[in-house]
């Protein structure tokens, strides 16, 4: 089978749903369920905490006992069931419970897909991670374009039905034949079976993890309040989906050229550039709260998210043993994409209610330390190269 195509389809179908959930879900709850910004912030933060628990503990544990294909199928079906539970939920408590249940299943699909891609790259069955991952970004941006049309015609209630349909498609595609290595139960060598903390014995893993945690946490305000901020600065409602997806178009372009254009860049260089791009992005949104500058700042998503994620994947593929990949992905997903984002979602929500622009400039408390740590790691890389040359 064509492994590259299979991986691309999986990324595409998952990120079609993620392109609905990530930018629109807080807004959907606010506008259709009648909750406040601070309530939505608290609900999503608790969801992120649940996501962190699921990806840090449940995902690595299950990865050692079930094949990647089974994990993807079970998580997909669990996600579909949880989304259906939003239909009767109308109170704050009901939405909170359903969101927590959703986050136990749905976000684990992301580390599961990245782990599958990492295994395929290490086993030489997938030649280009970036080329497959770009189809995830294409799925993300394409659904945003479609959603813009339908929200303009039918209102915010269509967000829910689009997510439900997209998840159903993902679940159906999950029953396609998968590469053999992903369909087999993992064979774990008991002599190599080590705990998650063993990852910190791998050189510089802890430092890399801190950097990507800070880089990903800096997106908390954008992910949760970008949609309503665009309405705050009077962006035309029919253009909001397009504006949000400028970031993903930039991401697509980056992933499409990353394997060739950035192959020779060190992990430290990539992380430094990501931190610089992220800092500039949030400063621009704060300093110039208008639609045109917001659109320009969106292009920096290629640095703030895509380059940071690519750098971590590059480090993981090169330095993490096969048996430890799921644990590393679970830790990255929990700490960088979940818990840190949960903390800064609450922080961003507090700042947003004071002044919407403050929520964006507040994110440099993540990006500036990330830049400093990335520069430290870059120096460590250069020192290593000098020692090797001697």
């Amino acid at each position: 089978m064509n492994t590259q195509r299979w991986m691309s389809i999986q990324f595409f179908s998952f990120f079609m749903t993620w392109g609905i959930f990530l930018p629109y879900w807080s807004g959907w709850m606010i506008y259709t369920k009648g909750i406040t910004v601070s309530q939505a912030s608290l609900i999503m933060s608790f969801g992120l905490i649940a996501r962190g628990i699921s990806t840090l503990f449940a995902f690595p544990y299950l990865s050692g006992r079930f094949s990647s294909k089974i994990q993807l199928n079970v998580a997909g079906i669990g996600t579909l069931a949880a989304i259906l539970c939003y239909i009767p939920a109308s109170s704050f408590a009901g939405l909170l419970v359903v969101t927590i249940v959703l986050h136990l299943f749905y976000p684990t699909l992301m580390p599961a897909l990245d782990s599958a891609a990492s295994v395929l790259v290490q086993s030489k069955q997938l030649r280009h991670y970036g080329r497959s991952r770009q189809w995830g970004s294409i799925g993300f941006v394409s659904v945003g374009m479609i959603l813009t049309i339908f929200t303009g015609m039918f209102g915010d209630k269509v967000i829910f039905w689009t997510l439900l349909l997209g998840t159903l498609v993902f679940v159906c595609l999950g029953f396609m034949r998968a590469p053999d290595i992903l369909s087999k139960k993992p064979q774990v060598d008991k002599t190599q079976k080590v705990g998650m903390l063993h990852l910190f014995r791998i050189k510089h893993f802890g430092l890399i993890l801190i950097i990507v945690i800070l880089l990903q946490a800096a997106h908390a305000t954008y992910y949760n309040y970008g949609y309503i901020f665009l309405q705050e600065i009077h962006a035309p409602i029919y253009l909001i989906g397009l504006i949000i997806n400028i970031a993903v178009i930039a991401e697509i372009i980056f992933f499409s050229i990353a394997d060739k254009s950035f192959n020779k860049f060190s992990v430290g260089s990539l992380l430094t550039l990501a931190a610089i791009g992220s800092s500039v992005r949030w400063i621009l949104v704060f300093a110039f709260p208008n639609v045109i500058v917001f659109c320009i700042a969106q292009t920096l998503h290629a640095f703030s998210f895509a380059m940071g994620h690519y750098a971590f994947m590059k480090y993981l593929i090169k330095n993490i043993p096969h048996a430890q990949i799921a644990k590393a992905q679970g830790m990255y997903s929990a700490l960088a994409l979940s818990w840190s984002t949960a903390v800064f979602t609450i922080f961003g929500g507090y700042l947003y209610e004071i002044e919407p622009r403050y929520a964006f400039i507040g994110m440099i408390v993540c990006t500036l330390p990330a830049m400093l740590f990335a520069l430290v790691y870059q120096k460590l890389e250069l020192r290593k190269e000098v020692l090797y040359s001697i």
Side-chain angles (χ1 to χ4, degrees):
M1 66 178 300
N2 189 319
T3 303
Q4 194 85 46
R5 184 185 302 160
W6 182 89
M7 198 72 248
S8 298
I9 290 171
Q10 296 301 311
F11 274 130
F12 179 83
S13 57
F14 168 74
F15 278 97
M16 275 191 69
T17 67
W18 199 244
I20 302 163
F21 181 77
L22 195 61
Y24 295 106
W25 206 244
S26 292
W28 173 76
M29 287 193 292
I30 291 166
Y31 294 129
T32 67
K33 296 293 186 177
I35 61 174
T36 65
V37 171
S38 58
Q39 285 177 323
S41 171
L42 194 60
I43 287 171
M44 295 305 286
S45 295
F46 272 101
L48 286 166
I49 292 169
R51 170 185 176 178
I53 293 170
S54 179
T55 54
L56 183 61
F57 300 109
F59 168 68
Y61 176 82
L62 295 173
S63 294
R65 286 157 179 79
F66 300 98
S67 69
S68 293
K69 191 173 190 300
I70 289 176
Q71 290 179 72
L72 290 168
N73 289 344
V74 171
I77 293 168
T79 300
L80 186 61
I83 291 171
L84 288 169
C85 292
Y86 274 104
I87 295 174
S90 57
S91 65
F92 171 79
L95 291 168
L96 176 61
V97 171
V98 175
T99 301
I100 289 172
V101 173
L102 176 69
H103 278 79
L104 293 175
F105 292 98
Y106 186 35
T108 60
L109 291 167
M110 191 180 296
L113 287 169
D114 271 332
S115 292
S118 299
V119 168
L120 291 172
V121 170
Q122 286 190 342
S123 61
K124 310 296 183 184
Q125 295 185 44
L126 184 69
R127 292 187 61 190
H128 303 289
Y129 168 79
R131 189 175 295 174
S132 283
R133 180 58 180 77
Q134 73 170 335
W135 279 100
S137 302
I138 291 169
F140 191 105
V141 72
S142 61
V143 77
M145 300 295 189
I146 297 168
L147 199 55
T148 296
I149 298 169
F150 284 99
T151 51
M153 292 171 62
F154 304 109
D156 291 308
K157 62 181 180 292
V158 78
I159 293 169
F160 171 82
W161 298 107
T162 310
L163 179 62
L164 183 64
L165 178 62
T167 305
L168 181 61
V169 170
F170 176 80
V171 170
C172 292
L173 288 173
F175 290 98
M176 292 170 56
R177 182 191 167 197
D180 291 341
I181 194 172
L182 302 181
S183 300
K184 295 177 180 177
K185 182 180 177 180
Q187 300 296 317
V188 180
D189 185 348
K190 291 184 179 181
T191 62
Q192 295 181 353
K193 193 174 181 180
V194 291
M196 191 170 292
L197 293 178
H198 186 80
L199 285 166
F200 291 96
R201 297 182 186 178
I202 298 171
K203 200 167 188 180
H204 305 313
F205 176 78
L207 180 58
I208 294 292
L209 187 63
I210 289 171
I211 296 168
V212 293
I213 285 171
L214 291 168
L215 286 175
Q216 297 301 344
H219 293 84
T221 291
Y222 169 67
Y223 288 155
N224 289 281
Y225 312 115
Y227 178 60
I228 59 175
F229 180 74
L230 282 167
Q231 296 183 358
E232 186 82 26
I233 61 176
H234 308 297
I237 188 70
Y238 58 89
L239 288 179
I240 288 178
L242 177 62
I243 293 167
I244 287 173
N245 282 299
I246 290 172
V248 195
I249 293 169
E251 186 181 309
I252 292 167
I253 293 170
F254 174 82
F255 282 125
S256 68
I257 65 173
D259 291 323
K260 289 184 179 180
S261 300
F262 294 97
N263 186 48
K264 293 183 180 179
F265 279 61
S266 69
V267 171
S269 298
L270 291 169
L271 291 172
T272 302
L273 288 171
I276 292 170
S278 188
S279 300
V280 172
R281 182 183 185 183
W282 310 129
I283 290 169
L284 282 174
V285 174
F286 166 76
F288 307 99
N290 63 72
V291 176
I292 293 174
V293 174
F294 193 95
C295 291
I296 294 169
Q298 285 289 77
T299 63
L300 293 173
H301 196 71
F303 290 85
S304 65
F305 172 77
M307 187 172 284
H309 180 76
Y310 182 81
F312 178 76
M313 291 297 295
K314 185 171 183 174
Y315 173 85
L316 183 147
I317 291 168
K318 185 178 179 180
N319 296 281
I320 307 297
H322 186 140
Q324 293 287 81
I325 284 178
K327 292 184 176 68
Q329 285 287 357
M331 193 174 291
Y332 171 64
S333 183
L335 301 179
L337 301 177
S338 303
W339 289 344
S340 64
T341 308
V343 171
F344 282 92
T345 294
I346 296 172
F347 174 59
Y350 172 76
L351 293 176
Y352 194 94
E353 292 197 324
I354 298 172
E355 162 61 49
R357 292 188 302 150
Y358 292 170
F360 290 92
I361 194 64
M363 295 300 105
I364 67 170
V365 301
C366 294
T367 62
L368 294 182
M371 192 189 309
L372 293 175
F373 286 129
L375 287 169
V376 169
Y377 180 69
Q378 197 172 4
K379 286 185 179 180
L380 292 172
E381 285 182 317
L382 289 172
R383 187 180 301 170
K384 183 179 178 182
E385 287 180 9
V386 170
L387 289 173
Y388 273 124
S389 62
I390 295 172

